[in-house]
């Protein structure tokens, strides 16, 4: 049954939003796994854990924003299975940050794809929504992860001081 409030909201864009919702939920699940990895007793980097757990909450909140938007526009929500994260173990904080940066870039590319499709269907409301609530945060997250990776690379470069550098980064940066 067609929604009474659906207007200027193409079925392609609706499908793209459902895909983006699933990606955001997957990102939340992935960040949860990374956060809990750093909380393990044999890893014990609490601020890395907190950083990734906070990202998990942020991604889930963004998925919820998309769900609310889909309903507001008269779209239909089609949730998919959330896949197990592709990794369960990280060699270091740098490894986890690098993995997260690539994941965030892929997520950003998907947001841009939805934005492009909305623009091609003359849907300025969705374009504005994505710009206000997703693109700025996505770019800021990519920049922050890049900065963290640069710092971690410098302070962990020494074979003898690498582990202490990661510990200090955990204590004083995150």
């Amino acid at each position: 049954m067609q929604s009474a409030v659906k207007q200027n909201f193409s079925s392609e864009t609706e499908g793209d939003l459902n895909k983006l919702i699933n990606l955001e939920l997957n990102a939340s699940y992935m960040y949860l796994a990374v956060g809990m990895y750093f909380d393990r007793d044999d890893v014990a980097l609490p601020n890395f854990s907190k950083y990734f757990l906070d990202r998990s909450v942020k991604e889930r909140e963004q998925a919820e924003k998309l769900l609310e938007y889909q309903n507001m526009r008269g779209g239909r929500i089609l949730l998919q299975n959330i896949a197990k994260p592709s990794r369960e173990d990280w060699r270091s904080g740098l490894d986890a940050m690098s993995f997260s940066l690539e994941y965030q870039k892929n997520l950003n590319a998907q947001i841009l794809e939805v934005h492009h499709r909305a623009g091609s269907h003359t849907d300025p409301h969705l374009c504005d929504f994505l710009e206000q609530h997703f693109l700025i945060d996505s770019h800021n997250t990519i920049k922050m992860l890049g900065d963290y990776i640069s710092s971690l690379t410098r302070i962990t470069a020494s074979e003898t001081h690498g582990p202490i550098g990661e510990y200090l980064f955990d204590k004083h940066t995150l």
Side-chain angles (χ1 to χ4, degrees), residues 144-155:
M144 182 174 47
L145 285 167
D147 290 351
Y148 286 168
I149 289 168
S150 294
S151 294
L152 274 167
T153 300
R154 281 192 305 279
I155 64 176

Side-chain angles (χ1 to χ4, degrees), residues 21-48:
I21 289 165
N22 196 55
L23 285 173
E24 291 284 355
L25 290 171
N26 274 305
S28 176
Y29 196 47
M30 185 272 298
Y31 281 126
L32 177 64
V34 178
M36 294 315 297
Y37 168 81
F38 285 104
D39 190 49
R40 288 179 8 189
D41 66 329
D42 61 334
V43 180
L45 291 170
N47 291 320
F48 273 97

Side-chain angles (χ1 to χ4, degrees), residues 4-29:
V5 299
K6 190 172 186 177
Q7 177 187 8
N8 191 33
F9 192 52
S10 76
S11 58
E12 288 178 331
T13 312
E14 184 179 338
D16 287 347
L17 275 180
N18 279 318
K19 184 177 177 184
L20 188 55
I21 289 165
N22 196 55
L23 285 173
E24 291 284 355
L25 290 171
N26 274 305
S28 176
Y29 196 47

